[in-house]
Amino acid sequence: MAPAAVAAAAFPFRLFSAEARRNTRSVRGKRSAARPLKSSPPPPPRPPSSSVGGGGAAATTFTRLPLRDAPESAEVTLDRFPTAPANPEAPAPAPTRGSSVQRLDEDDEEEFEVGVGATSFAQIPLRDSPDGVELTIGQFEARAAGRKSPGGRGFARQTVEHLDGDGDEELVVNSRDVFEVKRGRKALALVPEVLDDDDDVVVFDPDYGVDSDDDEEDMFPIKQSQKAGATPRTELGELEYDDEEDDDDEFVVFHPDYDDEEAFEDDDYDGEEETEEEGEEAKGKGVPAVMRCFDTAKIFAKAGDGGNGVVAFRREKYVPYGGPSGGDGGRGGDVYVQVDGEMNSLLPFRKSVHFRAGRGAHGMGQQQAGAKGEDVVVKVPPGTVVRTSDGGVELLELMKPGQRALLLPGGRGGRGNAAFKSGTNKVPRIAEKGEKGPEMWLDLELKLVADVGIVGAPNAGKSTLLSVISAAKPSIANYPFTTLLPNLGVVSLDFDATMVVADLPGLLEGAHRGYGLGYEFLRHSERCSVLVHVVDGSAQQPDYEFEAVRLELELFSPSLVDKPYVVVYNKMDLPEASERWNTFREKLQAQGIEPYCISAINRQGTQDVIHAAYKLLQKERQRIRETEDWSGPENLNHVSDAIKKERRAPMNEFEIFHDKGTKTWTVVGAGIERFVQMTNWQYSDSLKRFQHALEACGVNRTLIRRGVKEGDTVIIGEMEMVWNDEPKSNRPSNTMNTKDDAVRWPEFG
Ligand SMILES: Nc1nc2c(ncn2[C@@H]2O[C@H](COP(=O)(O)OP(=O)(O)OP(=O)(O)O)[C@@H](O)[C@H]2O)c(=O)[nH]1
Ligand SMILES: [Mg+2]
């Protein structure tokens, strides 16, 4: 049943745009003709309408634009007015006119409905713009034919990119209709270029993040230029419907409330991507290229939506009244994050940004449940920290190869009508939609992971030591703070064993409070299993220096001083160092420490240090293994646990916000919003159940108590309704207690 018809039921709410809200992002049609463009920028600011475009493509072309926004039988005429071409010399395109109605398949996931009028077709001119400028290319009026029309005004906009100098190849990066209806809201339509099937014509789908596919990687950045604009024409004309063109177009119509900004929210391609070369230079000053490129990444993850449950009844020979047999939808696929020991950078995430698990299959007749959606595994290198992009909350720290976390659990499948059978309702005409899978943007950061950290005062010779024991080439100089960022080196031992050694910036007194450069890197040294403490033998008081650095470590974190460590007395080639060696050694021996002496620069004594450190490392690894066995595996699924918990939120926990100006009441509550999201309005029993739910969980009562008035708007999740004061007798009050209609609550989990 169409939502409009459902609305006629005698309940306090009249539905007017539930489906529109729900479908704000759905897309129908041929994807090949109009592929989402990943690297599209948000639309540029509108050019001043007075400036006439120059240098645009010679040809103005047309596309047919199906606008479907109507109840089934309504007819809408959409009049459109072609623009003045960007090139004033070129002839203006002929006005065209069209009117048609199209009914989309209700079972199709990608169908959409919009609450403004009827389906109609129109032609609008495309591609008459200079590069990268958003143009208003036509204006039109929309009205419903043969009935009192809501009336409205609209215009079409597009942004074009010319791919090469001679203008042969071009790309419509953003083309949409904007129309306003009387309520003062806006509706947007994204339209594809359909004249040819070339892949170079791409429509920017604001939901592209969710629909990404691998091809998108080939997209190139788009440079924005604000060179010119075009003049919109407002002259009226009639559009002609062109039968020749295929009408299997992809298009999106947004709900009136849909916000322009929001449409591009998922697009994290900020200026950096567009002007990669210059952008990075400017941004990354002073940061080594390797650090700024590969140590952070931003990705989008979405768990699969649950499949829909269906309504079906058994129809068999000799079984005259077969019961309900609609199966449940399958669960959506999950998103996992897993540590891959082979990876050592976040570089791959520059290319693939979107990770979407598959949606669950819909239920079928004969009580067959739909299949579960496919899981997706995001592979990250060891040492990856996962945070929410929004707010920077740390979610996971994934250090060891093989670690795996369930990050986003797939949406539950909707129940089919077989699940709604009860003693009082033997022919339930109701089924749920699948639950939406959660989605989020995530920031990944790769932390330094080294087995051994070289610590010590500035200028002690830490980098020199690393340079002689590994192939690393850190900068070495005779002044403090030569090392600004940690250097990593892989040390190979004789017996085919390796360890990763980090040379850290020098530690000063006060480092634990942020003095010097050491603070950031003390955090890194927390991840090392073993420390090598280098002491400058040529210092005035080497033992005092040693104590000071130990104290800094302790003040920063007691766990650091508890780490096994090796003390290395350096610069033994210098006379002042060798003179003080014995005193130093005795002092440390008194504390139970056996120091090593080396001349890093001459590579003397360094092998002993390596072996000593490696021995400690092996012991430490063994210890970690044992304690891990004892403490059991870490629970890495707390993010999905939290999401699952929220899914169980009771429906009667909600808050109501009232906006007096717009007479809007917004009901906010995870439980009730989930209920709304899973309600499938195409089934006749759904509205009844929904109304019962509102009664039972106290939404109606609370609204009445707070003074809701006839005609006020009530919004719950994706559902928007108008409050209707009904005569008492029609109120569905106490329906919970009536016999004929037991309310079945959604099962959470
Ligand atoms: N004579 C002598 N000089 C050394 C030795 N090891 C390092 N040096 C010198 O000490 C100075 C500092 O060396 P680095 O390796 O840069 O010291 P660092 O500890 O990394 O210093 P920061 O990075 O500034 O904390 C350089 O001039 C080195 O040549 C050594 O064994 N003998
Ligand atoms: Mg150094």
Side-chain angles (χ1 to χ4, degrees), residues 35-36 38 199 212-220:
R35 209 148 32 88
K38 179 169 147 189
D199 269 349
S212 72
D213 61 47
D214 293 339
D215 299 348
E216 290 167 22
E217 284 169 19
D218 301 326
M219 292 300 170
F220 22 81

Side-chain angles (χ1 to χ4, degrees), residues 615-665:
K615 231 174 163 175
L616 289 179
L617 179 64
Q618 278 182 314
K619 257 199 215 157
E620 187 64 8
R621 282 176 176 163
Q622 181 62 30
R623 193 188 64 79
I624 290 169
R625 261 196 298 273
E626 278 162 14
T627 46
E628 252 169 23
D629 288 348
W630 177 77
S631 61
E634 220 180 324
N635 176 21
L636 292 170
N637 299 343
H638 55 271
V639 180
S640 67
D641 290 347
I643 292 171
K644 286 177 186 166
K645 191 172 164 206
E646 189 175 304
R647 286 176 178 171
R648 289 191 293 268
M651 300 225 314
N652 56 7
E653 281 175 16
F654 56 83
E655 278 186 90
I656 296 183
F657 300 94
H658 182 207
D659 180 355
K660 277 191 186 136
T662 56
K663 295 187 182 157
T664 302
W665 304 79

Side-chain angles (χ1 to χ4, degrees), residues 292-409:
R292 72 172 187 257
C293 294
F294 311 142
D295 67 346
T296 60
K298 190 175 191 139
I299 62 165
F300 176 80
K302 182 182 186 314
D305 299 337
N308 297 344
V310 293
V311 169
F313 294 94
R314 271 176 75 200
R315 290 284 175 271
E316 271 173 53
K317 236 179 175 179
Y318 313 119
V319 188
Y321 298 105
S325 64
D328 301 344
R331 184 171 267 283
D334 303 320
V335 177
Y336 290 91
V337 185
Q338 186 175 325
V339 181
D340 179 349
E342 306 280 288
M343 286 172 73
N344 56 11
S345 85
L346 297 173
L347 191 60
F349 296 108
R350 290 204 123 192
K351 289 213 156 187
S352 53
V353 174
H354 301 100
F355 295 86
R356 302 180 69 209
R359 85 161 295 163
H362 300 322
M364 287 158 286
Q366 301 180 333
Q367 298 208 25
Q368 291 179 73
K372 182 178 184 287
E374 212 173 304
D375 295 340
V376 67
V377 179
V378 182
K379 292 200 170 156
V380 298
T384 302
V385 178
V386 182
R387 294 195 185 82
T388 57
S389 281
D390 157 30
V393 181
E394 187 167 319
L395 301 175
L396 292 169
E397 196 178 76
L398 298 159
M399 307 308 288
K400 289 166 231 137
Q403 271 183 322
R404 182 176 161 109
L406 171 59
L407 187 71
L408 302 176

Side-chain angles (χ1 to χ4, degrees), residues 457-464 474-477 479-485 487 503-506:
N459 216 36
K462 301 181 293 296
S463 305
T464 310
S475 47
I476 295 167
Y479 52 82
F481 301 119
T482 310
T483 303
L484 300 174
L485 289 166
N487 299 298
D503 151 43
L504 302 168

